[in-house]
Amino acid sequence: MNKIYMLMLSGIVCPIALRAQQPTVINLNFPIQHADASVIDFDNDGKLDILISGENDSGKALQAFKNNGDGTFTTVSVPFAPVTRASIDWNDIDQDGKPDVILSGSIDYNGTTDKSVEIYTSDGAGNFSSKAISGLTAVAPGCGFADLNNDGYVDFYVFGNIFQGESGFYINNKAGGFTKTEFTDYDLVDPDVTPVDFDNDGDLDLFLMGKDNTTSTYVSVMLVNTNGVFAAQSLGITPRGDGSAVWGDVDGDGRLDLLINGNGDWDGTETTGDVVRLYRNNAGTFTKVATFQQYGQGSTGDGLRFADWNNDGKLDVIVSGWSANQNRQAADIYLNNGDLTFTPYAYNNNIPGVGESSIEVGDINNDGKIDLVVTGTSYNNYGPGDLGGKASAVVLNPTTTANAAPTAPAGLSVASNNPSEITLSWNAATDDSTPANSLSYNIFVKDANGVYYYYPLADESTGRLLLPRMGNVQFNKSWTIKNLPDGAYTWGVQAVDNSFAASTFATGTFTINGGVLPVTLQQFSTGKENNRVKLQWVTAAESNNSHFEVEKSADGKNFAYLQSVAAQHQANTYTVYDEQPYNGVNYYRLKQVDTDGKETVLGVKAVDFGIAVAVTATVYPNPAVQDIRVKLSRYTGSALAVNLIDISGKVIYRQAVNSGVIDFAVNYQPAPGLYLLQLTGEGLNQQLKLLVK
């Protein structure tokens, strides 16, 4: 998208043309194919690093690249065993709030040896230690982490070639070990498995694709999760194997759609293996809406990606593989037009094409745009963007449109459905471009000792994602957790947009006593009533609770005591009134207090009472010579994101400003010139013109 910004300074009209440019390619000089590439900030320094494992002419190969933040990378040593036809995933298996990794793969493609499944725990600074798992069957190539039974403990799954052993689920026994349940529905060859809540029912299902060696047919089915038990269900799609599948909401309806490639000629289903199909999810019924040809991945896993490449809020399609009609390996982007049609990206020929491929996305240079990592076979005689053999590279996105992070979710509440379950809920967030239905959500839950039951793979203070992907509860706006231990807990939730920018975390607390919440809340509502605000809540059960407290805030952050109500120790309806609401938005927080003094936040509600007053922002001095400051008027929202944009449209500096600050310095000294200062926050999205002399 091209934009023209007109800056009027001192009576001069100066056009700033934000024109599309060609992508910049950074060659990692690591020859590789049949790989898996992972983009993650594994040392928590604020920059996304890269891990690649696969094969080259010397055999199996693995390399970790530390991002230096200046367009260069340093290779660093990690203890991971190199594997080909690899699968890599991340989560927190030891509950310490640091990213751990599972890695599986093989190089003996048709044999029974030289296969590996390993788990490594992290200290959060880039150092890893191998974790032994008793009874682990080493099969390749599919593996991953997920909470498969909603108990707050990380489980994992390993799906691989039948001649190496049975695939299965490893359920965390909460005592440091895992119980395996074998999966014997199919005699699998080269499977690819993806966790996805395709039916938005609040648990993670598994999409399985591969070959069934017994029937000599391809398999593409959903393993539907019912209380931790999985059953295969057909989606009515053309089955594929030796490929990959990714999920995303391409049409903004709040359901995860499927992009899938792979071979179809082994069982006679099709005579080709180079068709990529997009299926729309219509409440569990899948309809083909688009195809992309010709792209033969030639490897299992991760040859496709969804990402918002041009920051217009819509998920674009990225495909890779041998393209016979282009007579080259390709890595092509198709831009989403918003009507289930797609337009080829103008600079596809400038992106290194790859076959036997794996690709990944993430904001490598922290400029607010999704970049692309490509790996695979890439020969010079197959196109201008190729790298002359087995290769790996970073493709920096030249898009000029800036992206702002979503707002943080509001309306957090905790309820107990039965003595063994608690449900966390929140209201939908908003975003400047991604449809509200397409925002995913990422939660954390930890106890008073810092033990994590859900780890968000994100920085809890800033919201920055360590791993660019959908949130861990996907599109759900409530999540039920079963059989948590007694204790006091802190939890939080953030929204993630289609460019994998994330909001800050909204947080709350709850306490479990005797396996249940002291109060089972059915409803908490607020509303205007004449010149006051009515607050009402309904409980289904109460035990060991002393009273309720209602607190009030003008900004949703700083709450003050409003009123206490004695508990009735049984199901009851409570009503209180705020006789003197603020002009504008009023926030109300409901807490219950146990007999021992422990507090639990049951929910936060907002009521717009009166006429909202416009927020204004001023940058001064303007023109500036050295110090640059910003003053806000009437802003009571959450933390601010500040972006400084140069004349080419590039974000050259980012700064976060805490809520409550109304006058602050921009901690950066740009060169003389014309700039835009973009301010984004709760109810605020302004661009200020700035001249620096």
Side-chain angles (χ1 to χ4, degrees):
M1 180 183 296
N2 295 335
K3 292 188 177 181
I4 303 294
Y5 290 102
M6 305 297 292
L7 299 194
M8 301 183 65
L9 301 175
S10 302
I12 302 174
V13 179
C14 306
I16 297 181
L18 306 184
R19 297 183 177 89
Q21 300 173 351
Q22 295 183 10
T24 299
V25 177
I26 302 172
N27 192 339
L28 294 175
N29 295 307
F30 179 55
I32 203 74
Q33 66 178 9
H34 292 299
D36 194 14
S38 182
V39 172
I40 182 171
D41 182 6
F42 56 64
D43 54 3
N44 198 28
D45 67 349
K47 301 180 287 291
L48 290 176
D49 310 302
I50 302 171
L51 175 67
I52 304 172
S53 183
E55 67 179 79
N56 55 31
D57 293 340
S58 300
K60 296 177 292 186
L62 180 146
Q63 187 60 64
F65 297 86
K66 177 179 170 58
N67 188 344
N68 298 320
D70 58 359
T72 65
F73 296 83
T74 300
T75 58
V76 294
S77 176
V78 290
F80 312 152
V83 289
T84 185
R85 293 177 171 84
S87 181
I88 303 171
D89 197 20
W90 301 82
N91 210 308
D92 179 18
I93 199 167
D94 57 358
Q95 299 181 281
D96 66 349
K98 302 178 180 67
D100 308 319
V101 63
I102 184 170
L103 172 67
S104 74
S106 175
I107 197 170
D108 188 4
Y109 183 51
N110 290 310
T112 59
T113 61
D114 198 15
K115 58 194 179 294
S116 174
V117 178
E118 293 190 328
I119 294 175
Y120 298 85
T121 58
S122 166
D123 67 355
N127 303 304
F128 296 87
S129 301
S130 179
K131 179 178 177 64
I133 303 294
S134 176
L136 175 60
T137 302
V139 296
C143 69
F145 288 125
D147 180 6
L148 298 175
N149 55 3
N150 283 49
D151 66 352
Y153 290 80
V154 174
D155 313 304
F156 66 95
Y157 54 87
V158 177
F159 281 67
N161 295 318
I162 184 58
F163 44 73
Q164 298 171 340
E166 291 291 354
S167 302
F169 312 100
Y170 290 80
I171 305 302
N172 196 319
N173 65 11
K174 307 181 184 181
F178 296 83
T179 302
K180 180 182 179 182
T181 300
E182 290 189 344
F183 180 79
T184 59
D185 290 22
Y186 307 100
D187 291 337
L188 295 169
V189 177
D190 293 342
D192 183 60
V193 182
T194 312
V196 54
D197 186 9
F198 83 108
D199 48 7
N200 287 349
D201 68 345
D203 55 26
L204 292 176
D205 311 296
L206 297 174
F207 180 74
L208 167 66
M209 63 179 294
K211 294 185 286 189
D212 184 356
N213 195 56
T214 298
T215 61
S216 298
T217 58
Y218 288 109
V219 174
S220 295
V221 296
M222 186 66 70
L223 305 182
V224 179
N225 186 351
T226 304
N227 297 320
V229 178
F230 292 84
Q233 174 181 311
S234 172
L235 300 182
I237 66 175
T238 302
R240 313 294 286 180
D242 300 322
S244 57
V246 292
W247 295 79
D249 183 13
V250 296
D251 55 356
D253 67 351
R255 301 186 184 98
L256 288 165
D257 308 305
L258 170 63
L259 185 70
I260 185 170
N261 67 0
N263 291 331
D265 52 359
W266 185 53
D267 60 357
T269 302
E270 293 184 317
T271 59
T272 180
D274 58 7
V275 179
V276 181
R277 291 183 173 90
L278 173 63
Y279 292 91
R280 180 176 182 267
N281 180 354
N282 184 17
T285 300
F286 287 79
T287 304
K288 184 185 70 175
V289 293
T291 59
F292 307 88
Q293 293 178 278
Q294 297 166 325
Y295 300 96
Q297 182 177 323
S299 189
T300 299
D302 291 346
L304 307 171
R305 278 292 174 262
F306 280 126
D308 182 9
W309 183 258
N310 56 355
N311 279 346
D312 66 351
K314 299 184 289 289
L315 276 183
D316 306 310
V317 168
I318 309 176
V319 298
S320 66
W322 168 251
S323 180
N325 56 351
Q326 299 182 64
N327 194 34
R328 71 179 187 103
Q329 283 100 4
D332 288 348
I333 299 169
Y334 289 85
L335 301 178
N336 188 340
N337 298 321
D339 58 359
L340 296 177
T341 66
F342 297 81
T343 300
Y345 179 51
Y347 295 103
N348 279 338
N349 279 345
N350 300 96
I351 298 174
V354 285
E356 293 82 37
S357 51
S358 175
I359 61 177
E360 193 51 273
V361 295
D363 184 4
I364 298 295
N365 56 353
N366 280 344
D367 66 348
K369 295 170 288 189
I370 285 292
D371 306 306
L372 176 64
V373 176
V374 297
T375 72
T377 306
S378 183
Y379 285 105
N380 278 330
N381 56 322
Y382 291 131
D386 301 320
L387 296 175
K390 301 175 181 66
S392 54
V394 175
V395 181
L396 298 180
N397 188 342
T399 297
T400 56
T401 303
N403 178 59
T407 61
L412 278 63
S413 65
V414 183
S416 178
N417 304 315
N418 62 54
S420 63
E421 297 180 355
I422 61 107
T423 298
L424 310 176
S425 302
W426 53 90
N427 297 334
T430 59
D431 187 69
D432 64 335
S433 56
T434 298
N437 285 337
S438 298
L439 294 173
S440 66
Y441 296 93
N442 205 27
I443 68 170
F444 74 83
V445 178
K446 61 183 178 181
D447 68 15
N449 296 316
V451 175
Y452 280 79
Y453 293 84
Y454 279 87
Y455 174 58
L457 285 163
D459 186 313
E460 290 171 31
S461 61
T462 65
R464 176 182 57 86
L465 296 181
L466 304 182
L467 184 68
R469 65 181 180 189
M470 277 193 300
N472 55 13
V473 298
Q474 300 189 355
F475 288 170
N476 291 284
K477 290 184 282 295
S478 67
W479 196 255
T480 297
I481 309 173
K482 304 173 183 178
N483 300 310
L484 281 176
D486 285 0
Y489 292 85
T490 300
W491 73 286
V493 58
Q494 65 176 165
V496 181
D497 70 14
N498 281 339
S499 295
F500 305 119
S503 73
T504 55
F505 281 92
T507 60
T509 60
F510 63 90
T511 301
I512 296 178
N513 187 6
V516 298
L517 292 170
V519 171
T520 300
L521 185 70
Q522 282 190 330
Q523 178 185 339
F524 174 36
S525 62
T526 56
K528 297 180 184 178
E529 188 176 278
N530 298 322
N531 293 321
R532 59 184 183 174
V533 174
K534 178 182 179 180
L535 301 93
Q536 188 172 80
W537 62 98
V538 180
T539 63
E542 301 178 20
S543 64
N544 299 318
N545 62 320
S546 167
H547 62 278
F548 297 90
E549 289 185 2
V550 178
E551 298 175 320
K552 176 181 174 181
S553 170
D555 60 7
K557 300 293 183 180
N558 303 298
F559 285 86
Y561 173 83
L562 178 65
Q563 190 173 341
S564 292
V565 180
Q568 297 301 305
H569 310 300
Q570 61 183 2
N572 195 52
T573 298
Y574 298 86
T575 303
V576 299
Y577 293 92
D578 180 8
E579 302 288 352
Q580 295 180 320
Y582 303 125
N583 181 48
V585 178
N586 291 252
Y587 297 87
Y588 297 94
R589 183 163 68 186
L590 176 64
K591 297 194 302 185
Q592 76 86 25
V593 183
D594 297 354
T595 53
D596 62 2
K598 291 181 180 178
E599 298 180 348
T600 300
V601 175
L602 299 179
V604 178
K605 298 291 184 181
V607 177
D608 190 353
F609 202 98
I611 301 173
V613 183
V615 177
T616 61
T618 305
V619 59
Y620 70 96
N622 194 3
V625 178
Q626 290 184 340
D627 295 337
I628 303 171
R629 299 193 66 85
V630 175
K631 186 174 183 179
L632 301 174
S633 175
R634 296 183 293 272
Y635 181 68
T636 59
S638 58
L640 280 175
V642 180
N643 294 332
L644 188 62
I645 304 171
D646 67 14
I647 196 169
S648 71
K650 180 180 179 181
V651 178
I652 62 172
Y653 176 70
R654 297 175 182 276
Q655 180 176 328
V657 179
N658 293 331
S659 62
V661 177
I662 61 172
D663 195 320
F664 61 89
V666 177
N667 300 319
Y668 182 76
Q669 181 60 49
L674 298 171
Y675 298 91
L676 291 176
L677 193 66
Q678 182 183 54
L679 307 176
T680 306
E682 187 176 337
L684 175 65
N685 190 353
Q686 291 190 19
Q687 290 181 332
L688 306 176
K689 305 157 190 176
L690 172 65
L691 174 64
V692 177
K693 291 186 175 181

